[in-house]
Amino acid sequence: MYLNCHSYHSLRYGTIPLDELIRQAADCNVKAMALTDINTVTGIYDFIKGCEEANIRPLVGIEFRCSNQLRYIGLAKNANGLAEMNRFLTKHNFENSPLPLVAPEFNDICIIYPFENAPKVLKEYEYAGICAEQLPKLFLPEWRARLDKMVVLQSVTFRTKREFNLHKILRAIDTNVILSKLTENDYCKTSEVMVPLEELLAQFEEYPQIIQNTEKIIGQCHYEFDFKTPKNKKYYSGSQKSDMQLLTNLAREGLLKKYGNDNPQAEARVEKELKVIDQLEFSGYFLITWDIIQYSISQGFLHIGRGSGANSIVSYCLGITDICPIELDLYFERFLNVNRKSPPDFDIDWSWKERDTILRYIFDKYGADHVAFCGTNVEFKYRSIFREVGKVFGLPKEELDQLAKNPMALHDKNKIVKLVQEYGMLLEKYPNQRSMHSCGILISEEPITNYTPLEMPPKGFPIVLFDMHVAEDIGFEKFDILSQRGIGHIDDSVKLIEKNRGIKVDIRDTTLSKNEAKANAFLSHGKTIGCFYIESPAMRGLLRRLKCDNYKTLVAASSIIRPGVAQSGMMKEYIFRHNHPDRFEYFHDVFKEQLGETYGVMVYQEDVIKIALHYAGLPAADGDILRRAMSGKGRSKAALQKVKDNYFACCAQKGHPLKLSEEIYRQIESFAGYSFCKAHSASYAVESYQSLYLKVYYPIEFMVAVINNHGGFYRTEVYVHEAKMSGATIHNPCVNKSEYETALYGIDVYLGLMQLEGLETKIAHFIVREREAHGEFGSLEDFINRIPIGIEGIQILIFIGAFRFTGKTKNQLLVIARLILVNFKPENRNLMLLQEPIKEYTLPVLERSAFEDAFDEIELLSFPVSCTPFDLLQTKYRGQVMAKDLLSHHKKTVKMIAYLISRKHVPTKMGAMYFGTWIDHEGEYFDTAHFTNSLQKYPFQGGGCYLLLGTVEVDYHFPTITVSKMAKMPFVPDPRYSNTSDRQYKVHEQIREDVSMTHRAPYPQEHEINLPRHKMG
């Protein structure tokens, strides 16, 4: 009888989570119900599964609304009916056109109009829905005559009075008005609740025909869904047989290229994998991925294949990945096996500049009707909740900011704030809006609108209305088409090297960079700024602690830096065992056999599976549930609890000591959501090596590429400093030398026009285009004649020295610019300046301080170029020791002058602490730790130079200064404002620092880990 039920997937309208809606229906003895969320099918697949478990017959449909007006409700009679509705809604979503008042012609849909809006003439499959409070209207003859087309319309939107209030809050958020401004038309009726079926039927007992009509609709709707059949495009070449023939040929060609013609181990593995791929009919999946890679290579693009796909030797032979699974002992079963009917995704990265070209190819090649991005639900989050709900209650901006910024314990205690908190907490984890998955693409065998309507977000690629979890449940395996700046660094470096030096570097040949001796030396000393994944202070510290100088150790390092491994204490333990392999025992033989490569420490997701299988004896399916929980893909807490119970039962059966089993499970749990599979770490390590190789041998080109890809972990200034330390001469932007991006001529680096804060992007591009079309600018006058720029833009370019080729001072250029532009009309630009000779001005000679240029640079670039920050200090003191000396000062107190690069905030029980990264006067990096008691007296005061006093602690070859005192050192006053004291220190505030935050507690110390180093059983 319930033909119109809303879950919270009716965004900013429904209040009932899907599983609770089903539970309520079961409690009300409902035998059949329809989920008809507003303009979406997001929840129907979970709904079908949930109803089947609750013995309720599921009906699926859509409530079509336009501008909050209910037009009609559509119920699918079968799969074609759902597809009809999906295509209808997709058309209106794409055209952004209003839904018609009357439903179009449908074949396999039942349409229900609200009683008051029903057309006079209803088609055979159309009905008017009436609710109990409208029944008195049936005494009117014109309505009574239409009983044969009426059905029960008991809509469900909320459950309790509290949820009705929540519904009104959601409506106020959606309509962007305060609660008191809502009208009755903005929200649902107070009767839109689910009542026991007997009670509902009793309300309509005088109208048996309405009940019969309703039962007739329920009987006509037989939407069934096959969750087991894969929905991805099946074949690449037209049939399974021809796909397998092509895949076999490609794999064997790649085998010969990668391993030569005499490698029985590789040959056997290729044959074994091909057999499984054929058995599971995933040849099309491999070939579509291969096809995308071939297109990428044909365009000269660089890609990185990572994730569990790197466990496959076939993907290695096809060029999808660059990881040899034999070298790293990666087992194919982690990626694909006969017991696991769906493969994990291939994750493939491109440069952020090239990803859209790849996406366009996929959509064009496989058809717009068959390709779409995965959707995702953006939930109400803690801070945004209080801001949104507070706005509904009419709170002013200042109070909203306080609610969003502070924890609940610090909120005001007034009545309104309590209401904001109460309803805000109810909204936590509710979906707020639909968005686009960052990288997941579905390529469907059938038209994708058979499963969902599509929306067209601003990025121009359609999205489905369900997330990746639902996609996987219904049989889709997404293709992850990712982008990252690290590949842009590598790709652009290679192009720059060829352009600047005439050298072609085949960076795709990983044997060139992997385990290269000089690169390994840089790696072990943490000289990795700019390199993908290994440039952060934490990672550089880890590399130094491990003296990491080889590929396999870097693979491990890439995983143990992850929060789950580090937080559990296993990172600390790995470092200890790596440095002291003779000072521990494996606490069980299984750990020695299975995890000998990582000293018995669980580092990868596979390690957890290995221990679950070989120590506890859990079945493979349980191991996979653990893996999915660790990777954040598992959604069922009940399933995980079942595995946990089974784990302890199996351990007891095997006679393992309970204490050891508990310790092992503690380690397993600590991984949740934050560990890599080994193949993923290996892929990251290969990319890290590629960027490191380029940094070692072509450092200036590499740093220019990093700058042009908008950096990485640090701000642009740091990468400019690295280029300078590598021998580059850094030049300020110049209208005759600079490109929009940073340009390189030999060792001369000209910062790009894009770096100038305040210069319009379109003007920056125009300058470069005009110069390329008509030659260099001869003078300032020539520039003004050719470029449509105002006095503000001219001043920016003058102050940064972009006209220094003229030989005139900045002051002289300013005078010329103002004399020309004082009565200048843009429309006369070409006429006036071309026809009239330029006047020669007698210009005064004005003295400039040597520091004026530096302060111009800070103002326009946020960092000085013509000198170092140390040159701007009032003091000549540069500290007692330099960064290079710290290793020999263990436990000693040192005093240093340093320039702040970055700091990371870490919460502790005692309060905030920070880890700092600095450069000394010689340009070398070092790190500091700042504990709460020190920070209370000596806090950070923004970017700049500080005097530091602290004790050096050398932890496994890595020195850190624990700072006891620090003070920000004064720079010289800005000489440009020598006559106005209030401005003399204003520009100094523009000197930046990189600040990162974490909500995780600091990593545990060695004594807190208490990980056994002796045999336990």
Side-chain angles (χ1 to χ4, degrees), residues 31-46:
K31 303 300 179 193
M33 68 186 292
L35 181 69
T36 53
D37 278 317
I38 297 168
N39 295 342
T40 189
V41 298
T42 304
I44 64 168
Y45 298 104
D46 284 340

Side-chain angles (χ1 to χ4, degrees), residues 598-703:
T598 54
Y599 316 106
V601 176
M602 285 187 274
V603 167
Y604 312 109
Q605 290 175 13
E606 288 93 335
D607 295 344
V608 177
I609 298 170
K610 284 178 186 176
I611 296 306
L613 297 178
H614 297 284
Y615 171 80
L618 284 178
D622 282 9
D624 198 53
I625 289 170
L626 279 175
R627 178 195 70 77
R628 294 172 70 74
M630 287 182 300
S631 61
K633 292 182 179 177
R635 291 194 290 167
S636 171
K637 288 183 180 177
L640 191 58
Q641 184 60 45
K642 191 176 175 185
V643 171
K644 182 177 180 179
D645 295 341
N646 196 19
Y647 164 85
F648 281 106
C650 289
C651 288
Q653 199 173 350
K654 279 180 164 277
H656 295 314
L658 179 60
K659 195 172 180 183
L660 172 60
S661 300
E662 286 175 342
E663 169 57 28
I664 291 169
Y665 199 81
R666 181 194 73 77
Q667 294 177 28
I668 289 172
E669 276 189 317
S670 70
F671 269 61
Y674 293 111
S675 64
F676 279 162
C677 71
K678 190 175 183 182
H680 197 86
S681 289
S683 304
Y684 270 19
V686 167
E687 186 179 346
S688 298
Y689 260 118
Q690 287 173 318
S691 56
L692 182 59
Y693 176 83
L694 295 167
K695 178 184 171 71
V696 169
Y697 287 100
Y698 309 98
I700 300 174
E701 287 86 354
F702 179 71
M703 281 306 152

Side-chain angles (χ1 to χ4, degrees), residues 365-490:
K365 168 103 184 201
Y366 296 101
D369 292 342
H370 295 264
V371 187
F373 264 92
C374 238
T376 182
N377 284 319
V378 179
E379 297 173 340
F380 282 100
K381 296 287 194 319
Y382 179 85
R383 293 188 177 191
S384 66
I385 288 175
F386 290 135
R387 195 177 291 282
E388 295 270 27
V389 177
K391 202 189 299 180
V392 164
F393 281 97
L395 295 180
K397 183 182 181 303
E398 298 74 30
E399 285 191 55
L400 295 178
D401 290 342
Q402 289 302 312
L403 290 177
K405 189 170 67 175
N406 295 318
M408 281 176 62
L410 299 180
H411 288 180
D412 285 340
K413 300 290 189 270
N414 64 58
K415 184 179 175 184
I416 298 296
V417 170
K418 283 185 177 176
L419 285 171
V420 171
Q421 290 176 339
E422 178 188 347
Y423 287 103
M425 295 316 291
L426 284 177
L427 279 182
E428 199 166 27
K429 298 294 183 187
Y430 271 45
N432 179 21
Q433 58 194 34
R434 277 185 294 275
S435 185
M436 180 174 169
H437 190 280
S438 59
C439 57
I441 286 183
L442 308 179
I443 304 177
S444 175
E445 175 70 19
E446 297 179 16
I448 211 152
T449 47
N450 284 6
Y451 309 104
T452 171
L454 302 174
E455 289 181 351
M456 185 67 78
K459 283 200 171 183
F461 294 108
I463 61 169
V464 302
L465 302 193
F466 45 72
D467 64 20
M468 61 182 231
H469 297 297
V470 173
E472 187 176 319
D473 282 348
I474 68 179
F476 279 110
E477 287 306 324
K478 64 185 182 356
F479 294 79
D480 280 338
I481 308 299
L482 303 108
S483 69
Q484 45 145 293
R485 299 196 184 278
I487 294 179
H489 300 167
I490 295 167

Side-chain angles (χ1 to χ4, degrees), residues 845-865:
V845 178
L846 300 172
E847 294 298 322
R848 277 177 67 86
S849 157
F851 291 130
E852 285 192 50
D853 287 343
F855 282 99
D856 283 341
E857 290 153 6
I858 292 168
E859 192 161 24
L860 296 170
L861 299 169
S862 80
F863 58 90
V865 173

Side-chain angles (χ1 to χ4, degrees), residues 568-569 572-573 577 587 659 663 666-667 1004-1014 1016:
S568 68
K572 287 265 185 189
E573 187 62 20
R577 295 184 181 196
F587 46 82
K659 195 172 180 183
E663 169 57 28
R666 181 194 73 77
Q667 294 177 28
Q1005 298 302 304
E1006 193 172 309
H1007 68 276
E1008 296 174 302
I1009 299 166
N1010 203 25
L1011 204 69
R1013 289 180 187 155
H1014 57 273
M1016 293 179 68

Side-chain angles (χ1 to χ4, degrees), residues 520 523-525 542-550 553 578-579 956-957:
N520 279 338
L523 194 65
S524 66
H525 289 98
L542 175 59
L543 294 172
R544 291 180 70 179
R545 287 181 174 98
L546 294 173
K547 279 196 174 175
C548 177
D549 64 355
N550 62 80
T553 305
H578 179 78
N579 281 282
Y956 300 107
H957 335 291

Side-chain angles (χ1 to χ4, degrees), residues 94-369:
F94 282 17
E95 294 173 354
N96 200 21
S97 57
L99 293 166
L101 292 169
V102 176
E105 291 284 338
F106 288 123
N107 295 316
D108 294 296
I109 298 171
C110 292
I111 293 290
I112 302 168
Y113 290 94
F115 177 79
E116 60 277 11
N117 292 340
K120 290 279 188 261
V121 178
L122 292 168
K123 302 181 185 82
E124 183 223 339
Y125 56 85
E126 294 182 329
Y127 300 86
I130 187 167
C131 57
E133 62 259 39
Q134 293 172 321
L135 289 174
K137 291 188 178 182
L138 296 184
F139 287 104
L140 296 170
E142 66 265 29
W143 286 109
R144 204 169 180 81
R146 304 179 70 187
L147 274 175
D148 62 319
K149 295 297 276 181
M150 286 190 187
V151 295
V152 176
L153 186 62
Q154 178 59 39
S155 298
V156 178
T157 301
F158 63 95
R159 288 174 292 183
T160 61
K161 183 179 179 183
R162 193 182 188 204
E163 273 192 11
F164 179 66
N165 293 338
L166 184 66
H167 163 75
K168 289 175 76 175
I169 288 168
L170 285 168
R171 298 306 306 130
I173 290 171
D174 190 52
T175 53
N176 198 26
V177 298
I178 61 172
L179 212 49
S180 59
K181 296 285 185 184
L182 283 178
T183 67
E184 282 191 12
N185 291 331
D186 291 324
Y187 52 86
C188 73
K189 299 171 187 170
T190 54
S191 60
E192 290 194 15
V193 294
M194 188 174 282
V195 295
L197 182 61
E198 299 76 18
E199 194 178 311
L200 180 62
L201 290 172
Q203 292 172 342
F204 286 85
E205 61 186 357
E206 293 182 25
Y207 301 96
Q209 191 170 4
I210 294 178
I211 293 174
Q212 286 166 16
N213 292 342
T214 310
E215 288 171 342
K216 177 185 170 186
I217 285 183
I218 292 170
Q220 287 176 338
C221 294
H222 292 283
Y223 181 80
E224 294 178 350
F225 191 81
D226 175 11
F227 286 92
K228 293 178 181 175
T229 306
K231 307 300 185 297
N232 279 48
K233 181 172 174 59
K234 286 183 183 176
Y235 311 121
Y236 173 74
S237 61
S239 73
Q240 173 70 7
K241 186 178 178 182
S242 60
D243 269 8
M244 272 314 298
Q245 188 60 54
L246 176 58
L247 183 63
T248 302
N249 292 341
L250 291 170
R252 287 175 179 160
E253 284 173 21
L255 176 68
L256 190 63
K257 187 178 174 184
K258 302 276 188 181
Y259 296 99
N261 57 8
D262 186 24
N263 192 320
Q265 185 184 6
E267 288 169 18
R269 175 144 176 174
V270 166
E271 294 306 319
K272 171 189 153 189
E273 288 192 15
L274 286 171
K275 189 176 178 182
V276 174
I277 292 166
D278 189 21
Q279 192 176 340
L280 294 177
E281 298 188 0
F282 285 130
S283 52
Y285 187 78
F286 274 78
L287 287 171
I288 290 169
T289 308
W290 167 80
D291 173 66
I292 296 166
I293 297 302
Q294 290 307 299
Y295 173 75
S296 171
I297 292 169
S298 75
Q299 298 300 302
F301 297 167
L302 181 68
H303 78 277
I304 304 285
R306 58 180 174 84
S308 56
N311 287 59
S312 163
I313 197 169
V314 170
S315 65
Y316 180 52
C317 290
L318 264 58
I320 296 170
T321 66
D322 277 324
I323 307 300
C324 169
I326 295 174
E327 179 186 9
L328 288 175
D329 190 27
L330 303 175
Y331 55 106
F332 177 62
E333 289 73 16
R334 165 64 179 82
F335 176 61
L336 198 61
N337 62 72
V338 290
N339 297 314
R340 185 192 161 119
K341 299 301 180 188
S342 60
D345 331 322
F346 277 118
D347 295 342
I348 306 169
D349 290 311
W350 277 271
S351 164
W352 61 283
K353 296 177 181 178
E354 293 161 353
R355 178 174 180 254
D356 280 1
T357 307
I358 298 294
L359 291 174
R360 182 54 56 206
Y361 171 76
I362 296 169
F363 277 84
D364 290 346
K365 168 103 184 201
Y366 296 101
D369 292 342

